[in-house]
Amino acid sequence: MTAVTATREVLGGPAATEALAARLRTALGSGRVITDLTRLRTYECDGITGYRVVPALVVLPESTEEVALVVAACAEAGVPFVARGAGTGLSGGALPVAGGAVISLARMRRVLEIDLENQRMTVEPGVTNADISKAVAARNLYFAPDPSSQTVCTIGGNIAENSGGAHCLKYGFTTNHVHAMTLVLPDGSVVTVGGNGVEQVGPDLRGAVIGSEGTLAIATSITVRLLRTPEAVRTLVADFPSADTAAEAVSRIIAAGIIPAAVEMLDALAIEACEAAVHAGYSLGTAAALVVELDGPEASCAEDFARVEQICRDAGTTHIRVPGSPAERTLIWKGRKAAFAAMGRISPDYYVQDGVIPRTRLSEVLDRIRQMAEEADLRVANVFHAGDGNLHPLVLYDAAVPGESERGEHLSTAIAELCVEMGGSITGEHGVGTDKACSMPAMFGDDDLAVMLRLRAAFDPAGVCNPGKIFPTPRLCGERPGRYRPHPLEAAGLIDRG
Amino acid sequence: MTAVTATREVLGGPAATEALAARLRTALGSGRVITDLTRLRTYECDGITGYRVVPALVVLPESTEEVALVVAACAEAGVPFVARGAGTGLSGGALPVAGGAVISLARMRRVLEIDLENQRMTVEPGVTNADISKAVAARNLYFAPDPSSQTVCTIGGNIAENSGGAHCLKYGFTTNHVHAMTLVLPDGSVVTVGGNGVEQVGPDLRGAVIGSEGTLAIATSITVRLLRTPEAVRTLVADFPSADTAAEAVSRIIAAGIIPAAVEMLDALAIEACEAAVHAGYSLGTAAALVVELDGPEASCAEDFARVEQICRDAGTTHIRVPGSPAERTLIWKGRKAAFAAMGRISPDYYVQDGVIPRTRLSEVLDRIRQMAEEADLRVANVFHAGDGNLHPLVLYDAAVPGESERGEHLSTAIAELCVEMGGSITGEHGVGTDKACSMPAMFGDDDLAVMLRLRAAFDPAGVCNPGKIFPTPRLCGERPGRYRPHPLEAAGLIDRG
């Protein structure tokens, strides 16, 4: 997680980007092309600040046609580009390319169509996740994916990362809630993928693009699926004497055939940070707390809620808290969703990790993380989506203490790779981006990566669309033994890691 | 729907296929390579018999390694191939290529692993859809996608077509129930896509391959998601005096926020055929019948069932039948699932159509179909997934009456394109295959098709993997004005429709 300076030489160098900026000023007006260094610095990183690259220019298009124009101009000039929403990503997916362009979609925030009868809405990519739900809340509809950053992150970024959230245990990820998209391809052509039907026709390009972290196309119009607000929602917070007993309760809830809307776990350190920041009423000093939420029809919700309470008691809970009002429930969630940012209250610096394990190995993995933290002489806070095994260990360190930053980075990477060893994955919802690219070989073989690169090359043969992300490259990982191996197709010039 | 003779010349001609057959006999044993014309005829078509092509050879591999060996040998010899499961597809997706090979997966029918705790099963592609559920039925688990052909169709075919079924209204399609696959790519390399995690890492190749109708890869091992058998299932059949009143009931059920497991509609002609074949007790003479099924927890299921009954009464139902036993419920479904085949009872020949419309335009579309049928002087039976707007109009004709076959084909195609005009799609679940390729331009622009072709070329640059499917080609559609237009990238040799 050290600063990277460039991932690709820009053909033509500064002269090419200057000519590009001039051309775009003529087309869009000078107010929509930024080349001033002070203003460019705003775009140098996304939600993980360990990677910083100042772009050569930032462009602010306002329509599909303008995005197509900008992309075509970049492609012609050989200038790489990256699309950017709110910049809240946690894997460096929106990190600029040195000498390249940032295409900010911040001005594309219109709701284009609301079709209440068919429960669909079409929006521009800069609309925030929460604003989609707000626009139809009075009609008892909402957009299900709910990343913790939902009040600021945009639907465009949700598509790039295939974002999830606390409620994806029951409702799935962004890809399960997008019908169709208008895409600008890396050569500037405009295509439509998906449709209004229940199923895709032909190869599912919609699915291929969602989660591709901006490396295949830029979505400029997105038709999402809206769900009906559930009749009832019931939430509880159950304290446990150990992470093991809390994990056991999670296993029993799922084994009972109950599918909660969300099952979140916070350990003692995470609770300490949350309480310092939000005062949501989590029990300080308890080893682990579960937040369990059920939703659905009133009748079954009440029945299942009683079963969940009983299961928690059987598994050894020491205290169950049921919020007495919607405001209290909102506060519980505010505490949970603020957990990452709250770490600043208990540690000067921290790394956010994101990995997935089979739910059945939760206790075992938490034990291993504890041992690894002790060996590294660092603290690790755990706050995560327990129901689907999506861990978010937060490695706490102090950059001012020599060596802690390196030990922390090493521990964080080791935890991600432990998840793979346990039969899981290096990322659950934050994406690969810049941050995890060098861990991809821990999870995928050379041929697996080669086929991904072939897909990428089909969309972006010139390699101008968000290069340097997802795939390990010699520049990024070359110095780490075993992290980068050239594939035979790469030597033959048939694939390019960007 | 006339016989096609070839979609691609085989490089090297008969000599190449003979050498290939000899090579594969040496590798696999002579019993597993078929070149005898009589036996080859078994493979000349899939579930739609209007297209017939006898392949040059059929190979029967028994493992991933053998499939990889066969594919690599075909690729080297320049012999196109198509993978085949049970051959129940309804769009000619498994139609052989003249002079090419059929890779039958009929011998790959092992269950490789059952992981009850994590609700996953790994199987070979030749395992039937119903056998997956049977293997875990005693543990109260099942595989949700349920095409009508589920007792014979295979999971490999379900992946090729992204199969749905009556219950996909609530549970989604095959793609929503597959975690990971081992794939043999068209050059014979073996890769793994997807994972055990809840989400995909990197571009979702798993999603891109599911529904690609055998044009990108062959899945040789598939890890599926298993769901818990719902606590309660409630079914009713409601008769209506018109298709309009039945459609109105469907709209009101969905608008009430109820998500039934299935909502099927049969019109008078479909009921007549079903009853002649299965005697399931549908009311002869009623204009339309709805089959509504709810599942879930007992409490909410009972409550919603009462609401559905009331909505049907409010919408003007003339009779509601609730099956009194599981056997009676099974018979109702047997009648519905046998509907296509039952058409033989009331007509010498028929075309099965498959299109999607926005559910809100159901009445309007049924009216238009009625008018179009009158103009063509043919009968059309309707039996379909009403809840998600997936129509299956069956165009009845008599091939012995001069001109009826052509009028029927024309009417069937016009109905598919009417669906697009109404904001829907040319296929809901049967796929494009050979049958709908010439209708693709009704739904997609040149650039939309070009990006699909670029994806295809990324997986299969040599165009040997099930060529001639999905995309309109001059050979298949050239004689129909407007159905085929060369794309600029095609003229430049950058894409190839196969």
Side-chain angles (χ1 to χ4, degrees):
Chain A
M1 300 204 196
T2 47
V4 289
T5 51
T7 51
R8 165 173 287 261
E9 297 296 326
V10 174
L11 300 172
T17 51
E18 274 166 38
L20 174 66
R23 180 176 169 189
L24 294 175
R25 277 201 182 92
T26 306
L28 304 181
S30 61
R32 294 208 271 129
V33 181
I34 299 169
T35 51
D36 167 70
L37 184 62
T38 312
R39 292 181 66 201
L40 289 177
R41 285 215 178 274
T42 314
Y43 299 87
E44 70 180 356
C45 66
D46 60 10
I48 66 166
T49 54
Y51 303 101
R52 293 174 192 269
V53 175
V54 178
L57 71 161
V58 175
V59 197
L60 297 155
E62 295 182 355
S63 66
T64 296
E65 294 67 32
E66 288 188 359
V67 173
L69 180 154
V70 172
V71 166
C74 286
E76 269 177 46
V79 172
F81 56 85
V82 52
R84 181 186 174 98
T88 55
L90 290 170
S91 60
L95 184 76
V97 179
V102 168
I103 300 176
S104 166
L105 301 164
R107 294 197 179 194
M108 293 183 67
R109 53 177 71 197
R110 286 178 300 174
V111 171
L112 301 173
E113 193 189 349
I114 298 179
D115 175 355
L116 291 172
E117 248 186 331
N118 289 301
Q119 297 182 206
R120 287 196 286 250
M121 191 192 303
T122 302
V123 297
E124 289 184 331
V127 173
T128 67
N129 174 294
D131 279 348
I132 296 176
S133 293
K134 263 186 217 157
V136 287
R139 310 303 294 257
N140 290 322
L141 296 171
Y142 76 113
F143 179 62
D146 63 334
S148 293
S149 55
Q150 68 190 126
T151 54
V152 283
C153 68
T154 65
I155 180 68
N158 293 173
I159 281 168
E161 300 298 331
N162 191 17
S163 301
H167 293 77
C168 64
L169 170 62
K170 180 167 179 179
Y171 292 104
F173 290 82
T174 300
T175 193
N176 303 116
H177 300 275
V178 171
H179 287 297
M181 297 183 282
T182 302
L183 300 177
V184 174
L185 299 185
D187 62 359
S189 57
V190 177
V191 302
T192 303
V193 297
N196 286 328
V198 283
E199 212 212 12
Q200 304 303 314
V201 175
D204 184 10
L205 294 169
R206 187 202 57 80
V209 167
I210 296 173
S212 64
E213 309 192 14
T215 63
L216 302 184
I218 300 178
T220 57
S221 155
I222 300 114
T223 301
V224 301
R225 178 162 84 114
L226 302 171
L227 299 189
R228 297 209 155 251
T229 315
E231 188 190 355
V233 180
R234 298 281 196 106
T235 310
L236 64 77
V237 182
D239 298 339
F240 286 87
S242 65
D244 281 4
T245 45
E248 179 59 28
V250 174
S251 286
R252 290 192 198 173
I253 291 167
I254 306 286
I258 299 167
I259 305 177
V263 181
E264 302 286 300
M265 197 193 293
L266 293 86
D267 70 6
L269 258 183
I271 290 170
E272 185 188 335
C274 281
E275 281 304 299
V278 175
H279 310 292
Y282 288 100
S283 311
L284 284 169
T286 195
L290 285 184
V291 181
V292 185
E293 186 158 285
L294 301 171
D295 67 14
E298 181 60 52
S300 66
C301 205
E303 188 186 319
D304 283 348
F305 196 76
R307 291 168 70 205
V308 167
E309 285 185 297
Q310 188 57 49
I311 289 169
C312 287
R313 278 192 290 271
D314 292 348
T317 184
T318 52
H319 179 247
I320 290 179
R321 171 182 168 209
V322 179
S325 68
E328 196 183 338
R329 174 183 165 254
T330 302
L331 191 62
I332 286 171
W333 277 111
K334 190 177 169 198
R336 162 60 189 89
K337 294 200 175 190
F340 293 179
M343 288 302 142
R345 305 282 179 142
I346 59 166
S347 174
D349 303 285
Y350 60 93
Y351 292 120
V352 178
Q353 191 45 278
D354 165 51
V356 180
I357 53 162
R359 199 184 50 244
T360 46
R361 305 188 78 171
L362 206 48
S363 297
E364 186 183 351
V365 171
L366 291 175
D367 272 346
R368 286 281 294 274
I369 291 176
R370 219 158 21 226
Q371 284 164 24
M372 288 158 71
E374 269 173 36
E375 283 161 23
D377 194 21
L378 290 170
R379 293 181 300 165
V380 175
N382 285 292
V383 45
F384 56 94
H385 310 312
D388 50 18
N390 185 186
L391 303 183
H392 289 311
L394 294 135
V395 175
L396 311 185
Y397 69 98
D398 183 349
V401 177
E404 277 213 355
S405 160
E406 293 70 21
R407 286 211 313 282
E409 184 185 347
H410 185 262
L411 173 58
S412 185
T413 303
I415 291 173
E417 297 182 2
L418 169 69
C419 292
V420 177
E421 187 193 320
M422 291 285 159
S425 157
I426 55 167
T427 171
E429 56 184 14
H430 296 173
V432 180
T434 307
D435 193 38
K436 298 277 178 79
C438 301
S439 292
M440 287 287 276
M443 186 159 175
F444 296 103
D446 285 355
D447 284 346
D448 302 335
L449 289 173
V451 69
M452 293 184 198
L453 287 164
R454 279 156 64 170
L455 173 75
R456 187 183 187 298
F459 281 82
D460 182 25
V464 290
C465 189
N466 204 14
K469 310 298 157 61
I470 301 180
F471 301 103
T473 62
R475 196 188 290 259
L476 202 59
C477 323
E479 74 280 12
R480 306 197 210 173
R483 297 309 178 92
Y484 169 77
R485 290 185 298 273
H487 187 274
L489 285 174
E490 201 172 355
L494 292 170
I495 54 173
D496 174 6
R497 296 183 191 224
Chain B
M1 300 204 199
T2 47
V4 288
T5 51
T7 50
R8 164 175 287 261
E9 297 296 327
V10 174
L11 300 172
T17 51
E18 273 167 39
L20 174 66
R23 180 176 166 186
L24 294 175
R25 277 201 183 91
T26 307
L28 305 180
S30 61
R32 294 206 271 131
V33 181
I34 299 168
T35 51
D36 169 71
L37 185 62
T38 312
R39 291 181 66 201
L40 289 177
R41 285 211 178 277
T42 314
Y43 299 88
E44 70 180 357
C45 65
D46 60 11
I48 68 167
T49 55
Y51 303 101
R52 291 174 192 270
V53 175
V54 179
L57 71 162
V58 174
V59 197
L60 297 154
E62 295 182 355
S63 65
T64 296
E65 294 67 32
E66 287 188 1
V67 173
L69 181 154
V70 172
V71 167
C74 287
E76 269 176 45
V79 172
F81 55 87
V82 52
R84 182 187 174 97
T88 55
L90 289 170
S91 60
L95 184 75
V97 178
V102 168
I103 301 177
S104 165
L105 301 164
R107 295 196 178 193
M108 291 182 68
R109 54 175 73 194
R110 286 176 301 172
V111 171
L112 301 174
E113 193 189 348
I114 297 179
D115 175 356
L116 291 172
E117 250 187 329
N118 289 301
Q119 295 180 207
R120 290 198 283 252
M121 191 192 304
T122 302
V123 298
E124 289 186 332
V127 172
T128 67
N129 174 294
D131 278 347
I132 295 177
S133 293
K134 262 187 218 157
V136 287
R139 309 302 293 256
N140 290 321
L141 295 172
Y142 76 112
F143 179 61
D146 63 333
S148 294
S149 56
Q150 69 190 123
T151 55
V152 282
C153 69
T154 64
I155 180 68
N158 292 174
I159 280 169
E161 302 297 332
N162 191 17
S163 302
H167 292 77
C168 64
L169 170 61
K170 180 168 180 179
Y171 293 105
F173 290 82
T174 299
T175 192
N176 304 116
H177 300 275
V178 171
H179 286 295
M181 297 183 283
T182 301
L183 301 176
V184 174
L185 299 184
D187 62 0
S189 58
V190 177
V191 301
T192 304
V193 297
N196 287 328
V198 284
E199 211 213 13
Q200 303 304 313
V201 175
D204 185 10
L205 294 168
R206 187 203 58 81
V209 167
I210 296 173
S212 64
E213 307 190 16
T215 62
L216 302 185
I218 300 177
T220 57
S221 156
I222 300 112
T223 301
V224 300
R225 177 161 84 116
L226 303 171
L227 299 188
R228 295 204 158 254
T229 316
E231 189 190 356
V233 180
R234 299 281 197 106
T235 311
L236 64 76
V237 182
D239 297 339
F240 287 87
S242 65
D244 281 2
T245 46
E248 178 58 28
V250 175
S251 286
R252 291 191 198 175
I253 290 167
I254 305 286
I258 299 167
I259 304 176
V263 180
E264 302 286 302
M265 196 192 295
L266 294 85
D267 70 6
L269 258 184
I271 291 170
E272 185 187 334
C274 281
E275 282 303 300
V278 175
H279 311 293
Y282 287 101
S283 311
L284 283 169
T286 197
L290 285 186
V291 182
V292 184
E293 185 157 285
L294 301 173
D295 66 14
E298 180 61 51
S300 66
C301 206
E303 187 187 317
D304 284 347
F305 195 77
R307 291 167 69 202
V308 168
E309 284 185 299
Q310 189 56 48
I311 289 169
C312 287
R313 277 193 291 269
D314 292 347
T317 183
T318 53
H319 178 248
I320 290 178
R321 171 184 167 209
V322 178
S325 67
E328 198 182 337
R329 173 182 166 254
T330 302
L331 192 62
I332 287 171
W333 278 111
K334 190 177 169 194
R336 162 58 189 91
K337 295 200 173 189
F340 294 179
M343 290 301 142
R345 303 286 181 139
I346 60 167
S347 174
D349 303 284
Y350 61 94
Y351 292 120
V352 178
Q353 191 44 277
D354 165 50
V356 179
I357 54 163
R359 198 185 51 243
T360 48
R361 304 188 77 170
L362 206 50
S363 297
E364 186 184 351
V365 171
L366 292 174
D367 271 347
R368 287 279 295 275
I369 291 175
R370 217 152 29 221
Q371 285 165 23
M372 288 158 72
E374 268 173 35
E375 282 161 24
D377 194 21
L378 290 171
R379 293 182 299 166
V380 175
N382 285 293
V383 47
F384 56 94
H385 310 311
D388 51 18
N390 185 186
L391 303 183
H392 290 311
L394 294 135
V395 175
L396 311 185
Y397 69 97
D398 183 348
V401 177
E404 278 213 357
S405 161
E406 292 72 20
R407 285 213 310 285
E409 185 185 347
H410 183 263
L411 174 58
S412 185
T413 302
I415 291 173
E417 296 182 5
L418 169 67
C419 293
V420 177
E421 188 192 320
M422 291 285 159
S425 157
I426 55 168
T427 171
E429 56 184 13
H430 296 173
V432 180
T434 308
D435 193 37
K436 298 275 177 79
C438 301
S439 291
M440 286 288 274
M443 186 159 176
F444 296 102
D446 284 355
D447 283 346
D448 301 334
L449 290 173
V451 68
M452 292 184 198
L453 287 163
R454 279 155 64 171
L455 174 73
R456 187 184 187 298
F459 280 82
D460 182 24
V464 290
C465 189
N466 205 14
K469 311 297 159 61
I470 302 180
F471 301 102
T473 61
R475 197 188 290 259
L476 202 61
C477 321
E479 73 280 12
R480 305 199 211 170
R483 296 310 177 92
Y484 169 77
R485 290 185 300 273
H487 187 274
L489 284 176
E490 202 172 355
L494 291 171
I495 55 174
D496 175 5
R497 297 182 192 229

